[in-house]
Amino acid sequence: MHIHRLDISGIRNIDKARLDGLGQVNVFYGANGSGKTSILESLHMLCLGRSFRSRQFRSVIQDGKEASTVFTSVTDLSSGKKTSAGVSRSRSSSPEIRINGESINTLAVLAQLFPLQLLSADSFELIEGGPAIRRQFLDWGVFHVEHSFISHWQAVKKCIKHRNSLLRHGKIHDSSLEAWDHELAEKGALIDKARAGYIERFQPVFAETVERVAGLKGLSLEYYKGWSRDDDLASALAGARDKDVQQGYTSVGPHRADLRIRAQGRAASEVLSRGQEKILVCALRLAQASVLRGTSGKECIFLIDDLPSELDASYRASLCVELERLNAQAFITCIEPREIESLWSKEVNVCMFHVEHGDISISES
C-alpha cells in the first residue's frame, strides 16, 4: 500500500497541509518544534486512530480548533486498486473513520489497511520496558497473519474482565467461575497456538535480519505463553485459583505472555549498549515487515522520528538498505537533510520536505 496524498488539518501547529505525490521515502527536515513530528503523528492517527506522543488526544488538536482530520489516498502496489481513507477526532468523541466514503466503526479495519511500524525514542522500550510492550509487538504480527486472532483476543479480555470482577468482589461461586475458566482456557489456547506459530515463523527471519542489519550474534527470542509450559491453561487456572482469590486478579493466562529477548543467554538490556539496543529494535521491526510481506504480500509503512539522533552513520545506512530491500514506504524526520538523502540508491524515489512553523514545502535538497 502506497500513500500518495496526505491532507492534515488541525494537528498541533499544522493548520492545513496537503502533500501530493509522496514518494517511497519522504524526509521532513527543519528545526526543533517546526512540526516535523506532528506529520508522523498525523500518519499514526490515520493508521491507528491515535497519537504515539500523547494518550490525551485533546492535546493533539490545534488550539482554537474543535477537531483534527487526516485524509489520504492510497494505491495497492500489487493490484493498482485505489482507496481513500480519513480519520477525524474531536475533543469530545471517539474517532470518526471513513473508508471510500463509508463509515467504519472499528479501528481494526484501519490497522489492517495500513500495517504500521514506528521507530522513535520511546519505541526502544521494547527492550527495556515491561512485558506488555513486547506482547503488543508480538500481537501486531499475529493480528496481520491470523484473521481470527482479534476475535479470540476480544473473547479472552471479556473472560478475564468477568473473572477478575468475581475475584475482586469475593463472589466465588464454583459454577460461575468455572464457566469463565472454561471459556478462558479454550480461547487462551487458541491465542497461544497463534502466537507460538508466529514466533516459529518469525525466528529465522529475525536471525537473518539482525545479522544483516546489525552484525549482532548470540541473540535469541524466548516466548513465554503466560503460564507453565508443562501445563495446559485449564490446569494452570485451577492451580492458581487460591492465589487469584487472595490477590483479586487472574495471575496466569495469555494476558501475562512475554517475548523475552536475550543476548548471550542474559536479558538483552543487561548486555547490549544503547546503540546496539537501538539497532536491535530496528531489526525486530524490519523482521516483522519481512514476515508480513512474505505471508500476505503487504508492505509496511515505517514512521521514523529523528533518525540521525537514534542511530549512528553505519547503522543508519544499514537500516535504509533494508527498508529499500523491503520496498517499504518510509516517513522520516531529521534536522539536517544531508544526513539522510545520500543513504538511498538512485532507484528510490526520495521526496524532501522542509517544515517551518507548521508549514510544509517541497524541497530540492
Side-chain angles (χ1 to χ4, degrees), residues 135 153 156 160 164 184 195 225-226 250-257:
R135 204 160 48 241
W153 183 236
V156 162
I160 293 170
N164 286 350
L184 178 55
R195 285 172 171 168
K225 61 185 180 179
T250 304
S251 62
V252 296
H255 63 300
R256 310 286 287 183

Side-chain angles (χ1 to χ4, degrees), residues 9 57 95 99 121 130 132 145-146 165 173 180 182 195 231 268 275 281 284 305 323 341 357 362:
S9 174
F57 195 80
I99 297 179
V145 298
E146 296 286 348
S165 179
H173 303 294
W180 290 117
H182 176 76
R195 285 172 171 168
D231 291 333
V281 171
L284 285 162
D305 194 23
L323 288 170
E341 58 187 340
H357 304 306
I362 299 175

